[in-house]
């Protein structure tokens, strides 16, 4: 089982830690694109700060992110699952899992990243600022750089197992699962049902997905098909409806 997670825009900057070592990161096939994006990002942020903020889609209150990006290769690093601090990661709370579940997380989770492509939770990275919808000078769109190598890595990681793709649209655009993996790819949507009306609530969508992934890791389940995944989630107490390759998680409380 391979579970793809989105990153979070919010990140915790570590106070201490070794500098970034691209060669030490998982999925070495991605190293050339990582290096290319890193060089371009650092060069951009060492130039005109206003231009850098415009390119990266940042406001004037986020000027510190430009200064950090400018020295990113020398910034301290920490585990990726400690760097990302969004709602999904807060609910997933990998650091509080027991040893067996934590090992399953390190082996089955991959986090999408505009700068690094895909990461394992224990990969050491700095707190960076680069979104998946950015177009970098001379290099073009970030998504365009990843669209070829990422599907190949997904194929290698998933093998003949199930892929659970929880990425948001921006990060799905970095690379979709290859065609032969598509029949074994599950996506999820979280719906809040109140008085017979259902709607998607973005914040709660992320929180629920974090809880679902935590439950899967704690249970030790390894579903091989979408039908098996639906059964496992139901056993964990979720209300699940299937629509093709998508599983709808219906909740009554947020």
């Amino acid at each position: 089982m391979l579970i793809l997670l989105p990153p979070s825009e919010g990140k915790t900057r570590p106070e201490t830690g070794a500098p970034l070592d691209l060669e030490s990161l998982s999925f070495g096939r991605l190293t050339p694109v990582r290096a290319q994006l890193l060089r371009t990002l650092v060069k951009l942020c060492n130039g005109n700060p206003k231009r850098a903020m415009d390119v990266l889609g940042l406001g004037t209150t986020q000027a510190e992110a430009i200064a950090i990006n400018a020295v990113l290769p020398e910034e301290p690093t920490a585990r990726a699952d400690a760097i990302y601090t969004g709602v999904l990661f807060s609910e997933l709370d990998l650091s509080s899992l027991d040893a067996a579940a934590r090992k399953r997380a390190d082996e089955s989770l991959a986090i999408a990243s505009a700068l690094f492509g895909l990461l394992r939770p224990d990969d050491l990275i700095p707190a960076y600022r680069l979104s998946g919808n950015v177009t970098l000078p001379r290099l073009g769109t970030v998504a365009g750089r990843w669209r070829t190598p990422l599907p190949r890595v997904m194929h290698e990681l998933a093998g003949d197992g199930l892929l659970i793709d929880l990425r948001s649209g921006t990060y799905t655009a970095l690379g979709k699962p290859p065609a032969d993996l598509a029949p074994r790819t599950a996506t999820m949507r979280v719906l809040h049902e109140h008085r017979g009306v259902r709607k998607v609530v973005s914040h709660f969508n992320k929180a629920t997905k974090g809880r679902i992934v935590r439950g899967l890791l704690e249970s030790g389940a390894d579903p091989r098909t979408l039908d098996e995944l639906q059964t496992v989630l139901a056993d964990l107490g979720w209300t699940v409806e299937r629509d093709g390759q998508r599983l709808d998680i219906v909740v009554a409380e947020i």
Side-chain angles (χ1 to χ4, degrees):
M1 177 177 63
L2 171 64
I3 304 175
L4 297 183
L5 302 177
S8 63
E9 294 301 325
K11 300 176 183 70
T12 297
R13 184 185 183 191
E15 295 182 1
T16 60
L20 176 63
D21 178 9
L22 290 180
E23 297 294 335
S24 73
L25 299 181
S26 304
F27 321 128
R29 179 194 288 271
L30 304 179
T31 300
V33 178
R34 289 166 173 163
Q36 187 180 48
L37 288 170
L38 179 63
R39 287 194 302 269
T40 303
L41 181 63
V42 170
K43 182 177 180 179
L44 170 68
C45 292
N46 273 288
N48 184 300
K50 184 180 184 306
R51 179 172 182 253
M53 285 190 285
D54 288 343
V55 169
L56 299 180
L58 303 179
T60 54
T61 60
Q62 298 169 302
E64 183 184 13
I66 302 300
I68 294 172
N69 277 354
V71 294
L72 212 51
E74 290 79 46
E75 277 287 291
T77 62
R79 286 178 57 113
D81 59 11
I83 294 292
Y84 296 116
T85 55
V87 176
L88 186 152
F89 289 91
S90 294
E91 294 296 329
L92 178 53
D93 194 13
L94 290 177
S95 64
S96 68
L97 291 173
D98 64 32
R102 189 68 179 264
K103 184 174 185 292
R104 283 191 289 273
D106 288 341
E107 294 173 348
S108 63
L109 299 184
I111 306 167
S113 165
L115 182 55
F116 300 110
L118 287 175
L119 296 163
R120 288 298 195 190
D122 58 351
D123 279 326
L124 300 179
I125 61 169
Y128 64 94
R129 194 62 186 245
L130 179 67
S131 297
N133 56 4
V134 166
T135 299
L136 289 170
R138 298 190 178 185
L139 211 56
T141 64
V142 169
R145 307 312 300 172
W146 291 121
R147 207 163 283 140
T148 297
L150 280 193
R152 294 173 182 169
V153 172
M154 289 179 206
H155 190 276
E156 293 171 1
L157 293 177
D160 60 357
L162 183 67
L163 169 61
I164 304 174
D165 192 349
L166 302 182
R167 296 174 297 167
S168 59
T170 297
Y171 291 93
T172 300
L174 300 187
K176 296 182 179 180
D180 61 342
L181 186 53
R184 293 181 284 113
T185 298
T187 61
M188 286 187 197
R189 181 175 66 166
V190 180
L191 299 173
H192 176 220
E193 184 172 80
H194 181 63
R195 296 179 179 177
V197 177
R198 294 179 177 182
K199 59 183 177 180
V200 176
V201 182
S202 177
H203 178 90
F204 189 69
N205 171 62
K206 296 174 183 177
T208 300
K209 287 178 179 177
R211 295 168 193 158
I212 287 171
V213 174
R214 183 180 177 90
L216 288 171
L217 295 172
E218 289 179 323
S219 72
D222 186 20
R224 308 287 294 180
T225 66
L226 271 76
D227 287 338
E228 289 181 12
L229 176 60
Q230 184 174 0
T231 298
V232 168
L233 293 179
D235 290 343
L236 291 173
W238 298 99
T239 299
V240 187
E241 298 176 1
R242 183 172 171 182
D243 183 1
Q245 300 298 113
R246 188 187 70 219
L247 298 182
D248 286 342
I249 312 298
V250 184
V251 297
E253 297 181 0
I254 60 174

